[in-house]
């Protein structure tokens, strides 16, 4: 304390000669950069007085954190029994007295930290005067309740320094060595200076206690080596300049964010962000091509002109043109008065201006972009730097939409790392399962969260892929001999079931288009897989096998089915093209109708149509049929498992129901058996069901019996007209030798 009278006026206590404030630090190398001592304004402090019995420093060790140096002995200039007075936090006074070995310890005064605001202190190393500054970050977890402030070497210290206009000067150079302003420490590395600093404090009678202390310390995440905070002059983009921050926040409202929470995340990060430091001290990167005055650091008055001249040099010879440039080439004699900047641009600035450097410079691209796509960490990175630079330069966001995805984790949700051994390499997945399976896994996973991958997940994805691929194979295989230009059946002449299949595909295509526009890829995969599994494999394709294999080759029943399959195959190839790219192109090129360009050059298939008022059955009535058929199939499977029947064609089925169910089944007439894939099928009133009928719902009962008649060796249906000397049914004879059977529904 330099002014005892001032201290007395503030606290009512006599500090005595040599009294001071005790500070505690684990980074002695920062003491030469001290500019103040911080006390918490609301904490209680005391003037602690007592006698140092041994007249010197306490503690077994001193100096650096590795145990270097020796703080024992040496004494103080005043000899043994020195009486001292130190300001410490009241709650820590007892611990401090014990640590310092104070005899006859007593409290001479009590006061709030705010009472000492602005009190002048003498620096213990070089004698400079520094102030007491109130600091809300000061705690009493350890130490003395007084914190030495070096604004050049810590975030909290720097912020406090800004509030109190403290200089951010430091005697530490970029090489980690003290410069000449550090006096006797000049040339020493900060990691090796702690013992010297402790010795210097001891010689000046300013070291109360020293001991080794193990504590956490910031390290470089990549190199695993300790790092220091060091304030240096940098270049910034001011967020308040021309209301850049407010304009950027406003621009967020016009962007489509996927998922929707992306907007709130971006706005939250913008609202909390400081000015943007765009300079970096690297040996590579895009240079900040500026000349600054040696006297005050101001940019050259002809900076715009000079940047343009440098840009032309870089355009010709690359960025090395700047680093190799002699300032006299551009400034002449003025070069003596200016420094050539050696800083490079923040790489986020580099990537953030791609809207100007890429989108606006290529004819095939547009600005603003339809979509920026990256991981969720880019709200503080590329998404944000792109927004800020575009708003600053163009007055608008650089993108119409932003899509954010999660990161890949293993089956247990753990981040992948080599040390854990849980990394799944994409190349190995492709080698084993194929690229389309990997792509399908990505699309089938909800990307808004973390995306889990494992052997089991990939196997399930492979099963889903096979279902889609096998559906396409069935469609293509049964289009053999079909020329759409000659054989396609007009929609009005197609059978009811075929019209339903095309209408189901049309409805699905509308849903898929909506999902693609919303980037809900996992729902697209689910819809297509469900369509292939349930609507196609479990219903439509199962039913039309009989028609494809037994009706007249050129008849309407078969050509109608092929027409529907051709439409569905064309649509399917285009639905999956953005995801199963290789498979989609294979399907597309294998379709009948002549050679085609790549599927990616086509838009949605426009040959699909909906059912209309002229259709015999509505979509809702077909849903009823599908439900009843599912119940029949379940009962047939139960009997097959019991070995009561073999194939479903070995059976006949009676369906007992009323109301709409009965009406829709009766509408199918004799073709009901083809829908149920049984040799016989009949519809009866629910009241006619006997005790042997099986209830499969509140208003539906079934009776399954063995089919009468012999088995046709061609269609495998059991028919009454067959005898020992006749093995082809009437229907097959008509299809072979006659005009072919007539079908209306199935």
């Amino acid at each position: 304390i330099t002014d005892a009278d001032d201290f007395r006026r503030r606290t009512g206590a006599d500090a005595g000669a040599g009294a001071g404030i005790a500070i505690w630090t684990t980074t002695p190398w920062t003491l030469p950069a001290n500019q103040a001592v911080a006390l918490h304004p609301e904490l209680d402090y005391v003037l602690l007085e007592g006698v140092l019995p041994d007249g010197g420093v306490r503690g077994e060790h001193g100096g650096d954190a590795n145990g270097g140096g020796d703080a024992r002995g040496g004494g103080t200039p005043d000899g043994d029994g020195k009486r001292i007075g130190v300001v410490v936090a009241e709650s820590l006074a007892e611990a401090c007295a014990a640590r310092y070995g104070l005899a006859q310890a007593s409290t001479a005064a009590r006061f709030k930290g705010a009472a000492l605001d602005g009190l002048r202190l003498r620096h213990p190393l070089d004698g400079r005067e520094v102030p007491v500054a109130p600091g809300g970050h000061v705690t009493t977890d350890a130490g003395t309740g007084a914190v030495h402030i070096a604004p050049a070497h810590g975030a909290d210290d720097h912020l406090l320094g800004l509030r109190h206009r403290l200089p951010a000067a430091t005697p530490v150079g970029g090489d980690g060595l003290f410069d000449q302003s550090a006096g006797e420490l000049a040339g020493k590395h900060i990691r090796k200076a702690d013992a010297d600093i402790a010795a210097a404090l001891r010689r000046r009678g300013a070291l109360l206690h020293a001991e080794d202390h193990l504590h956490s310390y910031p390290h470089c995440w990549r190199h695993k080596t300790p790092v220091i905070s060091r304030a240096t002059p940098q270049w910034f983009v001011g967020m308040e300049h021309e209301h850049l921050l407010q304009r950027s926040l406003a621009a967020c409202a016009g962007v489509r964010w996927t998922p929707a929470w992306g907007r709130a995340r971006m706005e939250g990060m913008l609202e909390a962000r400081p000015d943007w430091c765009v300079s970096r001290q690297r040996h590579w990167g895009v240079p900040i091509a500026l000349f600054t005055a040696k006297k005050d650091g101001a940019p050259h008055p002809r900076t715009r002109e000079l940047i343009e001249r440098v840009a032309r040099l870089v355009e010709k010879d690359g960025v090395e043109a700047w680093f190799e440039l002699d300032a006299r080439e551009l400034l002449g004699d003025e070069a003596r008065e200016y420094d050539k900047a050696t800083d490079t641009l923040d790489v986020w600035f580099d990537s953030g201006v791609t809207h100007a450097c890429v989108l606006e410079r290529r004819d095939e691209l547009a600005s603003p972009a339809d979509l920026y796509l990256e991981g969720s960490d880019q709200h503080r990175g590329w998404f944000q730097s792109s927004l800020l630079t575009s708003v600053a330069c163009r007055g608008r966001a650089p993108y119409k939409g932003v899509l954010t995805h999660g990161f890949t984790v293993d089956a247990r949700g753990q981040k992948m790392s080599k040390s854990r051994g849980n990394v799944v390499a994409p190349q190995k997945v492709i080698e084993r399962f194929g690229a389309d399976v990997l792509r399908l896994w990505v699309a089938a996973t909800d990307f808004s969260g973390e995306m889990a991958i494992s052997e089991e997940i990939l196997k399930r994805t492979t099963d889903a892929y096979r279902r889609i691929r096998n559906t396409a194979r069935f469609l293509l295989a049964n289009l053999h001999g079909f020329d759409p230009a000659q054989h396609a059946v007009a929609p009005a002449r197609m059978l009811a079931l075929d019209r339903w299949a095309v209408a189901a595909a049309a409805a699905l295509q509308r849903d898929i288009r909506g999902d693609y526009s919303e980037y809900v890829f996992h729902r697209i995969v689910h819809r297509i897989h469900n369509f292939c599994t349930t609507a196609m494999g479990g219903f439509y394709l199962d039913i039309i096998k009989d028609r494809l294999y037994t009706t007249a080759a050129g008849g309407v029943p078969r050509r109608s089915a092929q027409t529907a399959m051709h439409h569905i195959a064309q649509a399917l190839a285009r639905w999956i093209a953005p995801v199963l790219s290789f498979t989609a192109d294979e399907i597309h090129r294998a379709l009948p109708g002549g050679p085609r360009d790549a599927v990616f050059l086509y838009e949605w298939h426009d040959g699909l149509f909906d059912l209309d008022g002229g259709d015999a059955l509505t979509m809702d009535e077909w849903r009823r049929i599908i439900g009843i058929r599912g119940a029949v199939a379940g009962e047939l499977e139960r009997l097959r498992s019991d070995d009561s029947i073999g194939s479903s064609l070995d059976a006949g089925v009676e369906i007992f129901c009323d109301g709409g169910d009965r009406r829709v089944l009766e509408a199918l007439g004799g073709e009901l058996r083809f829908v149920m894939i049984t040799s016989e099928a009949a519809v009866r009133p629910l009241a006619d069901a006997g005790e042997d009928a099986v209830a499969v719902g509140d208003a539906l009962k079934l009776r399954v019996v063995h089919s009468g008649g012999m088995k046709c060796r061609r269609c495998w249906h059991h028919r009454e007209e067959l005898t020992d000397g006749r093995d082809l049914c009437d229907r097959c004879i008509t299809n072979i030798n006659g005009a072919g059977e007539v079908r209306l529904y199935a």
Side-chain angles (χ1 to χ4, degrees):
I1 297 170
T2 60
D3 190 338
D5 292 337
D6 186 26
F7 181 82
R8 187 183 307 109
R9 286 191 295 271
R10 294 167 180 266
T11 66
D14 187 353
I21 297 178
I23 65 95
W24 173 82
T25 181
T26 58
T27 55
W29 64 267
T30 62
L31 284 172
N34 172 273
Q35 302 295 338
V37 171
L39 306 180
H40 196 295
E42 302 302 322
L43 285 179
D44 291 318
Y45 288 83
V46 296
L47 176 61
L48 180 66
E49 293 185 336
V51 177
L52 289 175
D54 59 1
V57 67
R58 301 287 295 176
E60 293 301 314
H61 302 286
D64 63 38
N66 296 318
D70 187 352
R72 291 174 292 181
T76 68
D78 296 333
D80 294 345
K82 178 182 179 182
R83 186 169 186 81
I84 65 167
V86 289
V87 173
V88 296
E90 183 178 26
S91 61
L92 296 170
E94 184 176 347
C96 288
R99 190 159 61 241
Y100 307 154
L102 283 183
Q104 305 171 28
S106 64
T107 297
R110 179 183 295 105
F111 43 86
K112 293 290 186 184
L116 301 188
D117 183 5
L119 180 71
R120 306 301 292 180
L121 308 173
R122 181 173 293 108
H123 193 287
L125 289 175
D126 57 26
R128 287 181 291 113
E129 281 199 358
V130 298
V132 171
H137 68 289
V138 177
T139 67
T140 55
D141 295 338
T144 64
V147 178
H148 110 82
I149 300 299
H153 295 299
D156 289 334
D157 291 24
H158 192 76
L159 292 174
L160 186 141
L162 290 176
R163 288 197 299 272
H164 297 285
R165 298 186 177 182
L166 301 173
T170 175
V172 180
D175 55 4
L177 303 180
F178 284 106
D179 63 25
Q180 295 303 313
S181 66
E184 62 187 279
L185 297 172
K188 287 190 175 294
H189 194 279
I190 58 171
R191 296 290 175 207
K192 301 176 181 178
D194 285 352
D196 295 309
I197 291 173
L201 292 171
R202 189 183 311 114
R203 288 195 300 273
R204 292 166 174 77
L207 186 59
L208 291 169
H209 184 74
E211 65 182 42
D212 290 343
H213 183 72
L214 184 66
H215 64 109
S216 60
Y217 196 81
H219 279 61
C220 172
W221 67 273
R222 183 181 295 276
H223 301 102
K224 316 301 183 189
T225 53
V227 296
I228 67 167
S229 296
R230 177 174 166 270
T232 56
Q234 302 291 334
W235 294 99
F236 292 85
V237 174
M239 289 296 101
E240 299 304 322
H241 182 67
E242 296 186 354
H243 308 291
L244 175 58
L245 184 58
Q246 290 72 24
R247 290 161 57 210
S248 298
L249 284 167
C252 289
V255 175
R256 178 182 172 193
W257 301 90
T258 306
W261 51 255
R263 176 180 173 181
R265 180 175 171 85
M266 176 64 85
E267 289 176 340
M269 289 187 171
L270 285 172
E271 289 168 352
R273 75 156 297 139
D275 289 341
W276 181 8
C277 179
V278 295
S279 52
R280 296 291 185 271
Q281 292 69 56
R282 294 194 177 101
H283 295 293
W284 53 269
V286 176
I288 297 179
L290 298 175
F291 295 96
T292 56
K294 293 180 183 293
K295 62 180 180 180
D296 58 10
H300 194 285
R302 292 189 290 114
T303 290
R304 287 178 180 270
E305 171 201 333
L306 293 170
I307 285 181
E308 183 60 33
R309 293 177 65 183
V310 172
R312 285 198 292 269
L313 293 173
V314 170
E315 188 174 25
K316 178 184 176 184
D317 300 320
V319 293
E320 289 302 320
W322 167 257
F323 296 114
E324 296 172 359
L325 177 71
D326 187 328
R328 289 174 296 182
E329 296 178 33
L330 297 182
L331 301 183
D333 293 340
E334 278 188 307
R336 294 191 300 269
E337 303 170 20
Y338 288 88
D339 290 321
K340 188 180 78 168
T342 58
D343 292 346
T344 58
L345 273 171
D346 174 17
V347 292
W348 289 121
F349 191 97
D350 292 348
S351 62
V353 294
T354 50
H355 56 84
C357 302
V358 179
L359 296 182
E360 295 178 8
R361 302 247 179 142
R362 297 186 182 179
D363 294 337
E364 66 273 19
L365 300 178
S367 183
D370 292 315
L371 185 71
Y372 270 41
L373 166 67
E374 250 292 359
S376 55
D377 58 337
Q378 296 305 313
H379 288 96
R380 69 172 72 253
W382 183 47
F383 295 154
Q384 188 176 142
S385 64
S386 299
L387 178 67
L388 293 173
T389 56
S390 183
V391 169
C393 299
R394 305 290 185 259
R396 55 165 168 75
Y399 34 64
K400 298 175 185 176
V402 169
L403 186 149
T404 306
H405 61 79
F407 296 95
T408 306
V409 296
D410 65 18
R412 293 180 293 178
Q414 291 185 326
K415 178 183 176 182
M416 292 191 177
S417 67
K418 293 179 181 178
S419 59
R420 282 200 186 103
N422 63 346
V423 174
V424 178
Q427 294 87 345
K428 291 189 177 180
V429 175
I430 293 171
E431 289 172 5
R432 181 174 177 187
F433 298 101
D436 273 1
V437 170
L438 182 63
R439 294 169 67 91
L440 185 62
W441 162 74
V442 174
T445 308
D446 183 357
F447 63 76
S448 63
E450 292 179 329
M451 303 171 66
I453 189 170
S454 68
E455 180 83 7
E456 182 59 34
I457 291 171
L458 287 172
K459 286 180 179 178
R460 291 200 301 268
T461 305
T462 302
D463 291 340
Y465 169 75
R466 287 197 183 107
R467 171 59 66 180
I468 297 170
R469 185 178 180 87
N470 288 341
T471 300
R473 289 182 65 185
F474 183 93
L475 295 172
L476 293 173
N478 285 282
L479 287 174
H480 179 70
F482 177 78
D483 182 351
Q486 298 182 49
H487 304 139
V489 177
R493 296 181 61 218
M494 292 172 66
L495 272 64
L497 179 59
D498 299 328
R499 285 181 57 82
W500 168 85
V502 174
L508 176 60
Q509 181 162 284
R510 282 191 295 273
D511 290 338
I512 288 173
R513 291 184 67 170
D515 291 338
Y516 270 122
S517 68
E518 298 292 331
Y519 311 118
V520 192
F521 303 113
H522 66 283
R523 197 157 61 202
I524 294 169
V525 173
H526 173 75
R527 291 189 197 277
I528 294 174
H529 181 261
N530 186 62
F531 179 77
C532 291
T533 302
T534 305
M536 292 291 101
F539 182 66
Y540 178 67
L541 300 181
D542 205 21
I543 293 171
I544 66 171
K545 286 176 184 177
D546 177 85
R547 213 181 335 144
L548 290 169
Y549 303 158
T550 68
T551 60
V556 170
R558 186 166 180 270
R559 294 303 190 195
S560 174
Q562 287 182 312
T563 301
M565 289 192 297
H566 187 246
H567 283 306
I568 293 168
Q570 289 185 81
L572 176 62
R574 303 180 197 190
W575 297 342
I576 66 174
V579 178
L580 303 178
S581 304
F582 297 100
T583 304
D585 207 43
E586 281 186 84
I587 297 169
H588 184 73
R589 293 182 187 275
L591 284 166
R596 286 183 172 82
D597 295 326
V599 68
F600 314 108
L601 300 178
Y602 288 75
E603 298 184 356
W604 303 103
H605 179 51
D606 58 7
L608 305 177
F609 53 81
D610 295 313
L611 299 184
D612 54 37
D615 281 280
L617 296 169
T618 65
M619 293 298 286
D620 183 62
E621 287 172 329
W622 278 111
R623 275 190 286 272
R624 286 174 179 261
I625 292 171
I626 292 170
I628 295 170
R629 183 183 179 278
V632 171
E635 180 63 12
L636 291 171
E637 182 60 33
R638 184 182 69 80
L639 294 173
R640 188 182 295 111
S641 298
D642 294 343
D643 292 328
S644 299
I645 61 172
S647 161
S648 65
L649 292 176
D650 293 341
V653 61
E654 290 180 286
I655 305 171
F656 301 93
C657 57
D658 289 323
D661 287 347
R662 195 168 107 200
R663 284 194 301 274
V664 73
L665 294 180
E666 287 177 339
L668 294 173
E671 295 183 35
L672 177 61
R673 67 184 176 111
F674 297 120
V675 173
M676 299 302 161
I677 315 182
T678 54
S679 288
E680 295 182 25
V683 187
R684 316 268 188 234
L686 187 61
D688 292 352
E691 293 183 359
D692 58 340
V694 177
V696 291
D698 294 336
L700 182 67
K701 292 184 178 181
L702 304 175
R703 179 188 293 128
V704 177
V705 297
H706 280 279
S707 297
M710 298 179 64
K711 180 178 179 180
C712 174
R713 68 183 176 90
R714 183 172 181 273
C715 70
W716 294 6
H717 282 248
H718 291 257
R719 307 306 299 161
E720 294 290 346
E721 67 264 24
L722 297 177
T723 64
D724 289 340
R726 178 184 170 190
D727 55 7
L728 288 181
C729 67
D730 293 343
R731 186 172 67 94
C732 284
I733 293 172
T734 300
N735 286 325
I736 295 171
N737 299 320
E741 68 178 300
V742 176
R743 296 272 191 101
L744 298 177
Y745 298 100

